[in-house]
Amino acid sequence: MTADGAPRSLSDITRDMGLNMSDVAAFSGLDESTVFRLWDNTGWLDRISGRSLQSLMSSVPGIAEYSMAHAVRKRRDGLVGDLHDEGLAVDLGALERSPIAQQHLLNALEAALHIVRGQATQKTSSFIARFWGQEQDRALEAIYSTDHGLLQDPQKLFDASVDLAPRLNRKTYSFHSILALNILTHQVSKVTELEAHLGFEVPGRQAAFMMRGVVMGSLIGANDFELAERYRRELDATPVYAALEEWAFPTYTRDGRISSDFTLPSSLSLRNTATEVLREIAVYNDAYLYYLASTYIPLALKRDPAFGGRLAELVQALELRGADCRDRTTRQTCNALVRRLKGLA
């Protein structure tokens, strides 16, 4: 069986195992006439019923693996062709080498297709909103990346995203459009300059969440300390911004359920959030570290003083990273937070 899912007939898949048509029928419990109709047809997966496929998958080695690989390859080839027609070339080598699940990457390519076609519809908003989550976000990041990303030249995707974002929710409030706006602006702002206030005439929550997407992307992409400090002050002054900031991490990491009213349960352990924050302390730049130490971590400790049972690791991570930080204000902020955390431990 080929690992790439290229079309193969049943007879081809079973030949190396020495199984003939009668053997396959006997092991699977299917009528021999059913197996006969499928035997030499490379398109047999499109003709077989779900129950018959389950019988083959459970009785003939290689069928289950081929079925999945073929389905992934068929969808991939369709998306690659559609994106090519829209002027976006997919780097198949990067796609195959990626450690991210292929299904997530294909979902991201489909999102790119919606975006580059400029489809400002509820369906587009709903689809993009599904990328609020760690693995989904990593997949979407791969199509926007200019450094060995999935697209050979993603500039057309950047332009289409900037054009599409303000058109996603012109008529009514929509939870999915709020998430979609955040996701689009976050991805674009990581790789190109994007103003934190884009002039969208949208409701308060939508403006606040969109701004958060731009800020997070800009911090990661540009190491902008002034922006991190402006964002901290904005949260101090504007309750809706603070509420959305507190909601974002736990729902992104699935510690909390994604809720359209942007609320969290009163009792919540931030186990997954703690893991993600510890990772980000280690890998992101100093401006983003300042944002974590000055803004998010103090907010998270109000929700979960135990920080998902990872307080000791948080102290160690802040001490190690703070010691290597070049920015004096960030070092002082990390040190002050460490002293506070040691008082909680």
Side-chain angles (χ1 to χ4, degrees):
M1 190 196 89
T2 58
D4 62 3
R8 298 184 68 190
S9 65
L10 264 179
S11 60
D12 189 24
I13 294 171
T14 59
R15 182 177 297 116
D16 291 341
M17 290 174 275
L19 299 179
N20 59 34
M21 192 186 309
S22 180
D23 296 329
V24 171
F27 287 138
S28 65
L30 299 178
D31 290 339
E32 197 161 325
S33 60
T34 298
V35 178
F36 174 77
R37 288 195 299 272
L38 305 172
W39 192 244
D40 290 316
N41 189 338
T42 56
W44 64 274
L45 274 175
D46 295 325
R47 302 182 60 185
I48 193 171
S49 70
R51 180 172 295 180
S52 295
L53 179 58
Q54 289 182 54
S55 296
L56 286 174
M57 289 168 64
S58 63
S59 59
V60 180
I63 294 293
E65 294 82 355
Y66 169 76
S67 299
M68 185 184 77
H70 179 74
V72 168
R73 164 115 178 207
K74 184 176 181 180
R75 186 183 179 205
R76 183 199 75 180
D77 290 349
L79 287 169
V80 168
D82 289 342
L83 286 166
H84 181 270
D85 292 342
E86 300 295 336
L88 290 174
V90 177
D91 185 336
L92 292 179
L95 180 63
E96 292 168 358
R97 290 190 301 270
S98 174
I100 302 169
Q102 291 288 296
Q103 293 89 339
H104 283 316
L105 295 175
L106 296 185
N107 292 340
L109 290 177
E110 185 169 341
L113 190 60
H114 284 294
I115 294 165
V116 78
R117 285 176 173 172
Q119 299 169 328
T121 63
Q122 183 178 354
K123 180 180 179 182
T124 296
S125 290
S126 179
F127 192 82
I128 296 172
R130 314 296 169 175
F131 288 85
W132 183 256
Q134 289 172 286
E135 290 303 309
Q136 300 94 318
D137 181 57
R138 289 178 63 210
L140 201 60
E141 183 177 29
I143 67 169
Y144 279 92
S145 175
T146 57
D147 183 20
H148 305 294
L150 298 190
L151 298 179
Q152 293 179 9
D153 181 4
Q155 185 60 50
K156 188 172 184 180
L157 179 65
F158 301 164
D159 297 340
S161 299
V162 173
D163 176 70
L164 177 65
R167 298 190 290 114
L168 284 178
N169 190 41
R170 283 181 170 172
K171 295 182 179 179
T172 59
Y173 175 94
S174 164
F175 174 64
H176 282 157
S177 67
I178 290 177
L179 287 182
L181 271 172
N182 174 278
I183 290 164
L184 285 180
T185 54
H186 175 67
Q187 294 296 341
V188 174
S189 61
K190 280 192 288 189
V191 292
T192 188
E193 290 187 9
L194 196 63
E195 292 297 325
H197 295 283
L198 299 180
F200 296 172
E201 295 182 2
V202 289
R205 278 181 178 172
Q206 190 154 344
F209 207 47
M210 181 203 70
M211 188 189 80
R212 184 185 188 276
V214 176
V215 169
M216 294 302 107
S218 297
L219 289 178
I220 294 169
N223 198 26
D224 189 334
F225 287 95
E226 182 183 351
L227 179 61
E229 176 58 17
R230 291 207 322 265
Y231 184 65
R232 184 193 65 78
R233 292 197 301 265
E234 197 75 55
L235 261 67
D236 287 344
T238 313
V240 67
Y241 287 0
L244 290 173
E245 175 66 28
E246 186 180 17
W247 180 88
F249 258 108
T251 54
Y252 176 81
T253 64
R254 299 302 190 261
D255 278 326
R257 183 176 61 86
I258 298 177
S259 54
S260 60
D261 60 357
F262 294 97
T263 59
L264 294 170
S266 56
S267 177
L268 184 66
S269 176
L270 300 178
R271 290 186 294 270
N272 297 331
T273 298
T275 299
E276 175 62 15
V277 168
L278 290 170
R279 183 191 74 83
E280 293 183 356
I281 289 172
V283 302
Y284 283 155
N285 59 44
D286 289 352
Y288 192 89
L289 174 64
Y290 176 74
Y291 147 72
L292 287 175
S294 68
T295 304
Y296 179 67
I297 295 174
L299 198 62
L301 291 171
K302 292 179 181 179
R303 173 67 60 173
D304 177 15
F307 200 60
R310 310 286 292 276
L311 274 180
E313 293 170 74
L314 180 59
V315 168
Q316 183 181 34
L318 288 169
E319 286 180 325
L320 288 173
R321 183 62 196 281
D324 292 333
C325 182
R326 295 181 178 180
D327 181 71
R328 180 181 177 184
T329 301
T330 302
R331 284 199 310 272
Q332 291 174 340
T333 303
C334 287
N335 291 337
L337 182 55
V338 165
R339 289 194 297 271
R340 176 186 168 190
L341 291 171
K342 286 182 175 179
L344 292 174

